[in-house]
Amino acid sequence: MTRFPILVVVIAALTGPVGLAQGPSSEEVARRQFESGQAFARDGKFGEALKDFKAVVEAHPNSAAADNALLEIGRYYLDVVKDPGQALPVAEAILKKYPTSDSAPSAHVLVGRIALTRSRKRADLETALASFERVPRLFPDSEAVPRALHMAGEALRLEKRYDEALERYRRVAIDYPRDPWSANAQIGAGMALQALGDPIGALEEMQRARNSFPRAPEAAVVLGRVTTLYRLYVRGKGGPAFT
């Protein structure tokens, strides 16, 4: 009779840990699925990447990866599918649901890029500019600031506000000289200077971009522009060698 309670205790001791055993947390699963999507995207398998990102958003909306997954979905629609109409609600969802997340600055940039994609009309250019300028104002320490400043310069240059564009471009080059967007900003500065009637200054600005980032994809673009400016305004001396 005395052995039966002891046997129950032994069984409970053996089976207890099994009953308490748990799988990975929702946060861990969300992180792993987001990383899986990133891996598929790097391999060019965007359809599979989209499945993973959507799974994170739908199954783990309160996880730390949910806002990042939404951002990747928005970028997919804009950069891969070329459909700003699908990208905009995604970017707006980030700003509404995750306004203080680390994805919010990039979501503002995405909204601005979508506006630039729609048209070059003044209303869209102003919408884009406002979205870009919110980033350094609201998130001054974000990694998205250099790109936002560069894109603000682009919007201003398209509005033919060349002096203001030049100021934005130079802020990137001066404040973030090692950031990859510095090369784009220097190219933009060169284009603004050319529009302002300073082709030699434009040539110098673009050459700096080429020297600073010789292996960047933009280097080939810069070489073509520098060569053209040289042939037009340096070798031509008194004026353009040809039009």
Side-chain angles (χ1 to χ4, degrees):
M1 295 296 292
T2 57
R3 294 180 181 179
F4 182 74
I6 296 174
L7 181 61
V8 172
V9 172
V10 171
I11 292 173
L14 291 174
T15 59
V18 176
L20 294 174
Q22 297 180 354
S25 67
S26 175
E27 188 70 38
E28 180 69 11
V29 172
R31 181 185 64 79
R32 291 177 184 176
Q33 192 135 37
F34 176 71
E35 290 176 349
S36 173
Q38 287 182 307
F40 280 128
R42 283 194 297 270
D43 293 339
K45 299 176 181 178
F46 298 110
E48 296 303 319
L50 187 62
K51 290 178 184 177
D52 279 333
F53 295 142
K54 284 186 173 181
V56 173
V57 173
E58 293 167 3
H60 312 281
N62 297 319
S63 68
D67 60 300
N68 301 101
L70 265 179
L71 181 62
E72 293 302 327
I73 292 170
R75 286 171 171 167
Y76 167 80
Y77 286 137
L78 184 61
D79 297 329
V80 179
V81 181
K82 309 296 182 185
D83 188 345
Q86 288 195 80
L88 183 59
V90 177
E92 290 176 338
I94 297 171
L95 298 176
K96 182 177 181 179
K97 189 170 183 179
Y98 311 101
T100 60
S101 68
D102 60 350
S103 295
S106 294
H108 282 292
V109 173
L110 189 59
V111 170
R113 291 178 59 214
I114 292 166
L116 286 183
T117 301
R118 278 198 300 261
S119 78
R120 295 294 189 262
K121 294 179 179 179
R122 183 177 180 82
D124 283 325
L125 289 173
E126 287 297 318
T127 295
L129 181 61
S131 294
F132 298 139
E133 297 206 319
R134 284 190 181 97
V135 178
R137 292 175 184 173
L138 301 178
F139 308 94
D141 298 322
S142 170
E143 294 180 354
V145 170
R147 184 174 193 181
L149 287 172
H150 166 259
M151 295 304 300
E154 293 288 277
L156 288 164
R157 183 174 60 81
L158 290 169
E159 278 198 272
K160 299 183 180 180
R161 295 161 61 181
Y162 301 120
D163 288 314
E164 294 175 77
L166 194 59
E167 186 273 332
R168 301 303 193 283
Y169 291 136
R170 283 180 169 164
R171 278 181 63 187
V172 182
I174 293 170
D175 295 344
Y176 307 93
R178 297 185 181 277
D179 191 278
W181 284 100
S182 180
N184 298 80
Q186 287 173 315
I187 295 171
M191 295 172 71
L193 285 167
Q194 186 176 354
L196 287 168
D198 184 1
I200 303 304
L203 192 153
E204 292 173 349
E205 197 75 45
M206 292 185 183
Q207 187 60 44
R208 287 193 196 98
R210 187 174 171 224
N211 293 341
S212 300
F213 300 91
R215 297 182 181 179
E218 293 78 13
V221 177
V222 172
L223 178 60
R225 290 185 179 277
V226 166
T227 301
T228 301
L229 285 169
Y230 177 81
R231 289 176 177 175
L232 282 171
Y233 295 101
V234 177
R235 199 166 71 183
K237 296 196 177 184
F242 54 89
T243 60

